[in-house]
Amino acid sequence: MAKAKKISTDQRLGGCESLLGCIFQSWSPRRRKPSLPEKDHKAKDYLPPKSTTITNPKIISRKSTDSFAQTKKPDPLKTKPDESNARKSSSDSARKSSSDSTRKSSSDSARKSSESARKSISSASPRTESKRFSPNGVMGNIIVKPQPAVKSPDVSQTRSRWEGKAVNYRHDPETLKTMGNEEYCRGRFGEALVFYERAILADPKTPTYWSNKSAALISLGRLLEASDACEEALRLNPNYERAHQRLASLQLRLGEVEKALCHYNQAGKYTETKHIEQVEDVIKCLKRCEEARRSKEWNVVLKETCFVISYGADSSPRVYALQTEALLHLQRQEEAYDVYQKGTKRFDIDCFIKIFGLSITSYILMVGAQVYIAAGRFEDAVTASRQASRLDPSNEEVNAVARKARAVAAARLTGNLLFNASKFEAACVVYTEGLEQVPYNALLLCNRAASRFKLGLFEKAIEDSTLALSLQPSYKKARRRRADSYAKLEKWQHAIQDYELLMMETPEDEETRRVLADANVRFRKQIGGDVRFKEIDSDLVVLN
């Protein structure tokens, strides 16, 4: 009996130890991460990526719905024990016991251990029943960390594939076109143009290469060359709708609205209703411009040309010429010069004749002659007016401008010769004759002011200088003539204001600095005190 009791006690202890060992080996949170089966290569493919983390691999549910958990065959040597195995081991050890008390204590201890294990598992990790992602990126026991948004690099700032490398231009034309398209998408329009031109050299009869070349030229601001390339593409394939659409947009920007409308009608699917409406708006504004020009309503011309530019004709030499003419008649000569230079930045008379025709090119040259007369560039004015007369000899307006340009050029040349010979009175007469042709010419007014200054007619010199400055506020010679005339009349306050403005424009001019200091001294003596200045509306006002 003692022997049986001893054996039953050992069995009871052994059963408890085996039960607890199995439970803690399976469910203890301190247990290290179990290694994957060596023979199960498929499981390695299902490892979570680096962007995910496993919160606790030891507590993954046995009823996981993952495809890996369903397809994986359990290894009998490494299978995790569950609650039925624990009950089976405890019942076997209790069945071998010979006494009822021993059987009861063993089953009670096993039941308590299994219940405590279940409680620890349920409190540690709740089991999931679905595979759906939750809003915070959680699927089962795998938490997906949100990846930071990677900003895509600016393609225009990236290096070219061929930068710093020798490029073989002997590729077939399609390869060269593909390389050009890649450079175009990167914003490297100059490099793209090189590839397109090489493709054209290899195969000049493919219209696509010419159309792509025009796209690169448009991006480079070379609109006239782009127009030629588009026309060549249409010559090779008159039904090329994409080239029709591209040429229509070019013609609109150049102000050739009738041609733009014609090409839009042939562009097929590439033409939208807004394109037609845009062209019609430009046509209406241009008609109002011509009507206002005939009636000499220059403010209306200026307003309508601004509308035309805003509607899309932003590179039209004709529109800029109309705007320039309006500014000239409104006595805004410096603005007129800048506008004309902007509109004829890439002036080529042969190209202009080809695109705009003889009459419009002649008009642009005529306006240019007027701009050069106002700026004192009389030789350039004579050249431009002569070209305009040659293109449109029957236009009386063009011929009148040509005669005016020759007259003022001769007056300036003769007057300068007389002035250098100290014949100031005769020079003054010649300058006056030139001003009869062009009453508002800053250069002739300034030259006449110089002659009148030499003759002692300081008040008349001030009048001419003031009128010249009203036409060109940045005319330094006219301001210096007026300042010297004020000084001769001992109007020191006005003289000091002009000298100060000259010093702001040319601070390195020692002569102006000297006469300014002398004027300050004389003015202090005149008013008996120090002189202080305050700038009000771009003028220097003396404060007593």
Side-chain angles (χ1 to χ4, degrees):
M1 184 70 180
K3 185 177 180 181
K5 185 176 181 181
K6 182 179 180 181
I7 293 173
S8 64
T9 304
D10 294 339
Q11 290 177 348
R12 181 185 61 186
L13 295 175
C16 293
E17 289 176 356
S18 62
L19 173 63
L20 295 174
C22 291
I23 292 173
F24 283 105
Q25 184 178 4
S26 302
W27 307 109
S28 175
R30 297 182 180 178
R31 177 174 169 265
R32 292 180 299 174
K33 181 179 179 179
S35 61
L36 292 173
E38 295 179 358
K39 295 182 180 181
D40 196 351
H41 301 287
K42 193 172 183 181
K44 294 183 180 180
D45 297 336
Y46 285 87
L47 284 174
K50 293 182 179 180
S51 62
T52 61
T53 57
I54 300 177
T55 55
N56 195 349
K58 298 175 283 300
I59 58 175
I60 295 179
S61 170
R62 290 191 301 275
K63 295 182 180 181
S64 174
T65 56
D66 292 345
S67 58
F68 164 61
Q70 293 176 357
T71 58
K72 179 180 176 181
K73 295 181 180 180
D75 191 347
L77 296 178
K78 296 183 180 180
T79 304
K80 299 178 182 179
D82 55 9
E83 298 173 11
S84 61
N85 293 334
R87 292 195 187 96
K88 185 176 179 181
S89 60
S90 73
S91 62
D92 290 342
S93 61
R95 195 178 296 113
K96 292 180 182 179
S97 175
S98 59
S99 65
D100 296 335
S101 60
T102 304
R103 187 184 302 112
K104 183 177 180 181
S105 61
S106 175
S107 60
D108 291 341
S109 61
R111 190 179 299 108
K112 291 179 180 180
S113 300
S114 61
E115 289 177 356
S116 62
R118 281 197 301 271
K119 289 180 180 180
S120 62
I121 293 172
S122 61
S123 62
S125 174
R127 297 180 182 180
T128 58
E129 297 297 337
S130 67
K131 190 180 176 180
R132 293 175 298 177
F133 282 96
S134 61
N136 60 354
V138 178
M139 183 183 72
N141 294 82
I142 299 176
I143 300 177
V144 181
K145 291 183 178 179
Q147 295 295 324
V150 180
K151 184 179 180 181
S152 59
D154 187 3
V155 293
S156 62
Q157 302 296 329
T158 57
R159 289 170 59 89
S160 173
R161 266 175 46 186
W162 303 280
E163 188 173 346
K165 299 180 182 179
V167 180
N168 183 11
Y169 291 109
R170 296 182 180 179
H171 290 293
D172 62 284
E174 281 298 317
T175 303
L176 291 170
K177 186 196 78 170
T178 303
M179 296 164 75
N181 291 346
E182 182 177 339
E183 292 297 288
Y184 186 90
C185 293
R186 290 175 176 270
R188 303 174 182 272
F189 307 117
E191 291 82 352
L193 179 61
V194 173
F195 285 116
Y196 295 144
E197 289 177 341
R198 293 286 181 171
I200 290 170
L201 287 175
D203 184 8
K205 295 185 178 181
T206 302
T208 307
Y209 306 153
W210 290 97
S211 181
N212 288 7
K213 177 183 176 180
S214 71
L217 288 169
I218 290 171
S219 300
L220 292 172
R222 296 156 62 177
L223 302 185
L224 300 180
E225 299 174 61
S227 177
D228 291 339
C230 262
E231 289 180 354
E232 180 63 22
L234 289 173
R235 187 188 67 81
L236 295 170
N237 182 7
N239 299 321
Y240 193 0
E241 294 182 349
R242 187 70 180 89
H244 276 294
Q245 186 271 338
R246 186 163 286 154
L247 184 56
S249 63
L250 272 171
Q251 297 288 5
L252 175 61
R253 293 188 64 184
L254 293 172
E256 294 299 293
V257 286
E258 290 82 5
K259 296 179 182 178
L261 191 60
C262 178
H263 285 291
Y264 271 133
N265 291 331
Q266 301 179 63
K269 62 182 181 181
Y270 294 103
T271 300
E272 300 179 11
T273 306
K274 63 180 182 180
H275 296 148
I276 305 299
E277 294 175 351
Q278 189 177 13
V279 175
E280 291 175 350
D281 290 338
V282 174
I283 291 173
K284 293 177 183 177
C285 288
L286 285 175
K287 287 181 178 178
R288 289 194 290 267
C289 281
E290 292 296 338
E291 293 173 358
R293 182 177 180 271
R294 285 192 292 267
S295 60
K296 300 186 183 303
E297 299 177 7
W298 301 113
N299 283 314
V300 177
V301 173
L302 186 61
K303 177 182 176 182
E304 293 298 330
T305 52
C306 292
F307 285 148
V308 171
I309 293 171
S310 66
Y311 288 154
D314 57 350
S315 302
S316 172
R318 177 191 175 191
V319 173
Y320 282 110
L322 284 167
Q323 195 173 65
T324 300
E325 189 178 17
L327 289 169
L328 285 173
H329 284 88
L330 294 172
Q331 310 305 327
R332 295 160 63 177
Q333 296 181 359
E334 290 185 346
E335 294 180 59
Y337 185 85
D338 294 338
V339 169
Y340 186 78
Q341 292 296 317
K342 181 180 179 181
T344 59
K345 178 168 45 177
R346 300 179 181 274
F347 181 80
D348 183 352
I349 187 169
D350 295 329
C351 190
F352 271 47
I353 291 172
K354 178 182 177 182
I355 295 176
F356 305 111
L358 291 174
S359 60
I360 292 180
T361 305
S362 176
Y363 171 71
I364 293 170
L365 287 168
M366 181 196 72
V367 174
Q370 293 176 337
V371 169
Y372 294 143
I373 289 173
R377 296 169 54 180
F378 298 133
E379 291 78 9
D380 294 335
V382 171
T383 302
S385 61
R386 186 180 294 120
Q387 290 176 337
S389 299
R390 191 179 298 117
L391 294 177
D392 194 1
S394 61
N395 192 325
E396 184 57 34
E397 189 178 8
V398 173
N399 293 329
V401 172
R403 290 193 297 269
K404 189 182 295 184
R406 290 193 295 269
V408 295
R412 197 272 301 270
L413 179 61
T414 305
N416 289 352
L417 291 174
L418 293 171
F419 185 88
N420 293 332
S422 298
K423 298 179 179 180
F424 305 116
E425 189 172 354
C428 186
V429 171
V430 173
Y431 290 139
T432 303
E433 292 175 355
L435 286 168
E436 290 175 358
Q437 296 290 330
V438 194
Y440 300 101
N441 186 270
L443 188 142
L444 292 178
L445 286 168
C446 184
N447 287 2
R448 191 171 70 173
S451 299
R452 288 177 168 177
F453 181 85
K454 292 292 186 180
L455 293 172
L457 303 174
F458 303 120
E459 292 288 351
K460 294 290 185 181
I462 291 172
E463 290 178 5
D464 287 342
S465 299
T466 303
L467 183 56
L469 286 170
S470 68
L471 297 171
Q472 297 183 17
S474 61
Y475 198 177
K476 298 177 185 177
K477 284 188 178 180
R479 191 171 297 280
R480 181 59 185 266
R481 296 271 188 273
R482 191 173 72 173
D484 292 342
S485 299
Y486 279 134
K488 289 293 183 180
L489 295 174
E490 296 185 354
K491 295 182 178 180
W492 302 112
Q493 180 177 350
H494 299 293
I496 288 171
Q497 290 178 4
D498 282 337
Y499 285 137
E500 285 283 356
L501 290 174
L502 288 170
M503 284 301 301
M504 292 179 184
E505 296 175 359
T506 56
E508 69 281 354
D509 190 351
E510 294 297 332
E511 177 64 21
T512 304
R513 189 184 302 277
R514 185 186 63 79
V515 294
L516 175 60
D518 183 66
N520 281 324
V521 171
R522 292 178 181 273
F523 187 49
R524 281 198 297 270
K525 289 181 179 178
Q526 187 181 50
I527 64 174
D530 294 332
V531 184
R532 292 181 300 160
F533 298 95
K534 181 179 180 181
E535 186 174 356
I536 299 177
D537 295 335
S538 300
D539 291 330
L540 293 176
V541 179
V542 178
L543 301 177
N544 292 331

